[in-house]
Amino acid sequence: MSEISNYTYDEITIGQTATYSKLIEERDVQLFAAVSGDVNPVHLDAAFAATTQFKSCIAHGMLSGAIISAAIAMELPGPGTIYLGQSLRFRLPVKLGDTITVNLEVIEKTDKRGFVTLDCNVFNQNEQLVVTGTAEVMAPKEKLLLEKPTLPPVRIGD
Amino acid sequence: MSEISNYTYDEITIGQTATYSKLIEERDVQLFAAVSGDVNPVHLDAAFAATTQFKSCIAHGMLSGAIISAAIAMELPGPGTIYLGQSLRFRLPVKLGDTITVNLEVIEKTDKRGFVTLDCNVFNQNEQLVVTGTAEVMAPKEKLLLEKPTLPPVRIGD
């Protein structure tokens, strides 16, 4: 079983970076629709989406938010992080088949409370900036090395 | 088949509100873990979560963000909305079994560009404020009445 670890507040340095990539497939958009309840046809119905300014199905904007949150929770600072706040600007649509990469960079540390601020920039495979934002977290005080839980299989369709 | 509709920019008034509720179950947290990649045990492993300050499994913070985005996309303004930005403050954890309710309120309209700003407040079933934020959207210009797509069934587990 694989493991996940973290960076404690004391280990984190200004300018530290991490990246996290994900291919966005039809399956991801269907799962995000199921879990959020946003079943707008621009995400799910290719014929309808073709009539919109986007020309084809686009991912939910907040799916990129979910990927940013995973980058923070899995990579920097990683497990034990308390998520305090996030700002997001949705700059360009993410389409099915796009691979998005979250770039995180530590831009501020507040020693008294253990707060860390991270710049969040999400690019597609064409190096276009699709989402930007800033995250504020309370970094872990203790080093953790955890077994990565195995998710039960998720199946879509009959 | 049920339908979804929207409010155009011209129909939207300052002070207009909408609500959107969802019961957060283990299934939702598993699906959010699958789609985001955040498989931290605090969300998925009850025995581990019991050792944390939260005492039991908590939902991913950004799952509340996903529910806010669904409230905007499904209710106010609804289909045809372009999501421009979102700020989020995670104030209290959301636990499995909580029912969260998103309250949206229109606080600003910018006529020249069709932008609308909404206050977003998320409460749990005990009327505790769990997440707050502000959304900025471009409201639809045209009235839409759309068939609600039927999602393929999603099954978790063997």
Side-chain angles (χ1 to χ4, degrees), chain B residues 16-18 25 27-28 35 38 42 50 59 67 69 78 82 85 99 101 103-104 109 112 114 122 124 134 155:
Chain B
Q16 186 171 352
T17 60
E25 298 177 287
R27 167 192 173 82
D28 298 303
V35 75
D38 178 356
V42 72
I67 310 297
S69 78
I82 308 284
T99 296
T101 299
N103 289 349
L104 300 177
K109 291 181 68 179
K112 206 169 64 178
V122 185
N124 65 17
T134 304
R155 282 169 298 165

Short mmCIF file of all heavy atoms in Angstrom, two decimals, chain B residues 16-18 25 27-28 35 38 42 50 59 67 69 78 82 85 99 101 103-104 109 112 114 122 124 134 155:
data_model
loop_
_atom_site.label_atom_id
_atom_site.label_comp_id
_atom_site.label_asym_id
_atom_site.label_seq_id
_atom_site.Cartn_x
_atom_site.Cartn_y
_atom_site.Cartn_z
N GLN B 16 -32.51 39.34 -4.07
CA GLN B 16 -33.11 38.06 -4.46
C GLN B 16 -32.33 36.91 -3.82
O GLN B 16 -31.10 36.94 -3.72
CB GLN B 16 -33.07 37.95 -5.99
CG GLN B 16 -33.80 36.73 -6.53
CD GLN B 16 -33.92 36.78 -8.06
OE1 GLN B 16 -33.58 37.78 -8.68
NE2 GLN B 16 -34.40 35.70 -8.64
N THR B 17 -33.06 35.88 -3.38
CA THR B 17 -32.42 34.78 -2.68
C THR B 17 -32.79 33.43 -3.31
O THR B 17 -33.77 33.32 -4.03
CB THR B 17 -32.83 34.74 -1.19
OG1 THR B 17 -34.24 34.58 -1.12
CG2 THR B 17 -32.41 36.00 -0.46
N ALA B 18 -31.99 32.43 -2.99
CA ALA B 18 -32.30 31.05 -3.37
C ALA B 18 -31.63 30.15 -2.35
O ALA B 18 -30.63 30.53 -1.72
CB ALA B 18 -31.79 30.73 -4.77
N GLU B 25 -23.47 12.34 2.68
CA GLU B 25 -23.34 10.95 3.10
C GLU B 25 -21.92 10.43 2.78
O GLU B 25 -21.19 11.04 2.02
CB GLU B 25 -24.37 10.10 2.36
CG GLU B 25 -25.80 10.52 2.68
CD GLU B 25 -26.82 9.72 1.90
OE1 GLU B 25 -26.93 9.96 0.68
OE2 GLU B 25 -27.49 8.86 2.50
N ARG B 27 -21.14 8.17 0.87
CA ARG B 27 -21.06 8.02 -0.58
C ARG B 27 -20.55 9.31 -1.26
O ARG B 27 -19.73 9.25 -2.20
CB ARG B 27 -22.47 7.69 -1.08
CG ARG B 27 -22.69 7.78 -2.55
CD ARG B 27 -24.20 7.71 -2.86
NE ARG B 27 -24.45 7.96 -4.26
CZ ARG B 27 -24.33 7.03 -5.21
NH1 ARG B 27 -24.01 5.80 -4.90
NH2 ARG B 27 -24.54 7.33 -6.47
N ASP B 28 -21.02 10.46 -0.79
CA ASP B 28 -20.60 11.73 -1.39
C ASP B 28 -19.12 11.98 -1.18
O ASP B 28 -18.42 12.47 -2.07
CB ASP B 28 -21.42 12.89 -0.79
CG ASP B 28 -22.90 12.73 -1.08
OD1 ASP B 28 -23.27 12.65 -2.25
OD2 ASP B 28 -23.69 12.67 -0.12
N VAL B 35 -13.10 11.76 -7.49
CA VAL B 35 -13.01 12.72 -8.59
C VAL B 35 -11.89 13.73 -8.38
O VAL B 35 -11.29 14.21 -9.34
CB VAL B 35 -14.38 13.41 -8.82
CG1 VAL B 35 -14.70 14.44 -7.78
CG2 VAL B 35 -14.44 14.05 -10.21
N ASP B 38 -8.24 13.48 -3.63
CA ASP B 38 -7.91 13.70 -2.21
C ASP B 38 -8.45 12.53 -1.39
O ASP B 38 -9.62 12.48 -1.06
CB ASP B 38 -8.50 15.02 -1.72
CG ASP B 38 -8.21 15.26 -0.23
OD1 ASP B 38 -7.61 14.38 0.43
OD2 ASP B 38 -8.60 16.32 0.27
N VAL B 42 -8.64 11.31 6.92
CA VAL B 42 -9.58 12.05 7.76
C VAL B 42 -10.97 12.08 7.11
O VAL B 42 -11.99 12.25 7.79
CB VAL B 42 -9.07 13.48 8.06
CG1 VAL B 42 -9.15 14.36 6.82
CG2 VAL B 42 -9.83 14.11 9.23
N ALA B 50 -11.04 9.25 14.13
CA ALA B 50 -11.31 9.28 15.58
C ALA B 50 -10.12 9.79 16.38
O ALA B 50 -10.27 10.30 17.49
CB ALA B 50 -11.74 7.90 16.06
N ALA B 59 -16.26 15.81 5.80
CA ALA B 59 -16.29 15.99 4.34
C ALA B 59 -15.13 16.88 3.91
O ALA B 59 -14.63 17.69 4.70
CB ALA B 59 -17.61 16.61 3.92
N ILE B 67 -21.08 22.27 -3.76
CA ILE B 67 -22.54 22.43 -3.53
C ILE B 67 -22.94 23.89 -3.79
O ILE B 67 -24.00 24.16 -4.37
CB ILE B 67 -22.93 21.99 -2.10
CG1 ILE B 67 -22.36 20.60 -1.74
CG2 ILE B 67 -24.45 22.01 -1.91
CD1 ILE B 67 -22.85 19.47 -2.56
N SER B 69 -21.47 25.84 -5.91
CA SER B 69 -21.45 26.03 -7.38
C SER B 69 -22.69 25.43 -8.01
O SER B 69 -23.21 25.96 -9.00
CB SER B 69 -20.16 25.44 -7.97
OG SER B 69 -20.21 24.04 -8.08
N GLY B 78 -28.86 30.10 -12.43
CA GLY B 78 -29.27 28.89 -13.14
C GLY B 78 -28.57 28.72 -14.47
O GLY B 78 -27.54 29.37 -14.73
N ILE B 82 -22.27 32.10 -16.41
CA ILE B 82 -20.81 31.92 -16.54
C ILE B 82 -20.20 32.25 -15.18
O ILE B 82 -20.35 33.36 -14.66
CB ILE B 82 -20.21 32.87 -17.60
CG1 ILE B 82 -20.97 32.76 -18.93
CG2 ILE B 82 -18.72 32.61 -17.77
CD1 ILE B 82 -20.69 31.57 -19.75
N GLY B 85 -15.85 33.85 -10.56
CA GLY B 85 -14.99 33.78 -9.38
C GLY B 85 -15.75 33.39 -8.14
O GLY B 85 -16.98 33.51 -8.08
N THR B 99 -26.79 17.75 7.01
CA THR B 99 -27.49 18.32 5.87
C THR B 99 -27.08 19.78 5.77
O THR B 99 -27.26 20.54 6.73
CB THR B 99 -29.02 18.23 6.04
OG1 THR B 99 -29.39 16.86 6.07
CG2 THR B 99 -29.75 18.91 4.87
N THR B 101 -27.20 23.53 3.87
CA THR B 101 -28.09 24.38 3.06
C THR B 101 -27.32 25.61 2.63
O THR B 101 -26.76 26.33 3.47
CB THR B 101 -29.33 24.79 3.87
OG1 THR B 101 -30.05 23.61 4.23
CG2 THR B 101 -30.24 25.70 3.05
N ASN B 103 -27.41 29.24 1.22
CA ASN B 103 -28.26 30.42 1.03
C ASN B 103 -27.53 31.40 0.13
O ASN B 103 -26.43 31.85 0.47
CB ASN B 103 -28.56 31.10 2.38
CG ASN B 103 -29.51 30.30 3.25
OD1 ASN B 103 -30.12 29.33 2.79
ND2 ASN B 103 -29.62 30.68 4.50
N LEU B 104 -28.13 31.69 -0.99
CA LEU B 104 -27.57 32.67 -1.93
C LEU B 104 -28.37 33.96 -1.85
O LEU B 104 -29.60 33.92 -1.73
CB LEU B 104 -27.66 32.15 -3.37
CG LEU B 104 -26.94 30.86 -3.72
CD1 LEU B 104 -27.22 30.49 -5.17
CD2 LEU B 104 -25.44 30.96 -3.46
N LYS B 109 -25.26 44.19 -8.82
CA LYS B 109 -25.39 43.99 -10.27
C LYS B 109 -24.56 45.06 -10.98
O LYS B 109 -24.55 46.21 -10.56
CB LYS B 109 -26.86 44.14 -10.71
CG LYS B 109 -27.78 43.03 -10.26
CD LYS B 109 -29.21 43.24 -10.77
CE LYS B 109 -29.32 43.08 -12.28
NZ LYS B 109 -30.70 43.25 -12.77
N LYS B 112 -23.21 47.16 -17.01
CA LYS B 112 -22.45 47.26 -18.26
C LYS B 112 -22.01 45.88 -18.76
O LYS B 112 -22.00 45.62 -19.95
CB LYS B 112 -21.24 48.19 -18.06
CG LYS B 112 -20.77 48.86 -19.32
CD LYS B 112 -19.77 49.96 -19.06
CE LYS B 112 -18.47 49.46 -18.44
NZ LYS B 112 -17.50 50.53 -18.22
N GLY B 114 -23.13 42.81 -17.23
CA GLY B 114 -24.02 41.70 -16.86
C GLY B 114 -23.51 40.87 -15.70
O GLY B 114 -23.91 39.72 -15.54
N VAL B 122 -23.39 28.95 3.94
CA VAL B 122 -23.75 27.54 4.04
C VAL B 122 -23.93 27.19 5.53
O VAL B 122 -23.02 27.41 6.33
CB VAL B 122 -22.66 26.63 3.42
CG1 VAL B 122 -23.12 25.18 3.43
CG2 VAL B 122 -22.32 27.10 2.01
N ASN B 124 -25.31 24.23 8.52
CA ASN B 124 -25.65 22.83 8.74
C ASN B 124 -27.04 22.75 9.39
O ASN B 124 -27.71 23.76 9.59
CB ASN B 124 -24.56 22.11 9.56
CG ASN B 124 -24.43 22.66 10.99
OD1 ASN B 124 -25.32 23.35 11.50
ND2 ASN B 124 -23.31 22.36 11.62
N THR B 134 -18.29 34.57 -1.43
CA THR B 134 -18.90 35.47 -2.40
C THR B 134 -18.64 34.90 -3.78
O THR B 134 -17.52 34.46 -4.07
CB THR B 134 -18.28 36.88 -2.28
OG1 THR B 134 -18.42 37.33 -0.94
CG2 THR B 134 -18.98 37.87 -3.20
N ARG B 155 -22.31 3.61 -9.13
CA ARG B 155 -22.30 2.61 -8.06
C ARG B 155 -20.91 2.57 -7.41
O ARG B 155 -19.90 2.67 -8.08
CB ARG B 155 -22.65 1.23 -8.62
CG ARG B 155 -24.16 1.06 -8.85
CD ARG B 155 -24.45 -0.19 -9.63
NE ARG B 155 -23.82 -0.11 -10.94
CZ ARG B 155 -23.64 -1.14 -11.75
NH1 ARG B 155 -24.00 -2.35 -11.37
NH2 ARG B 155 -23.07 -0.98 -12.93
#
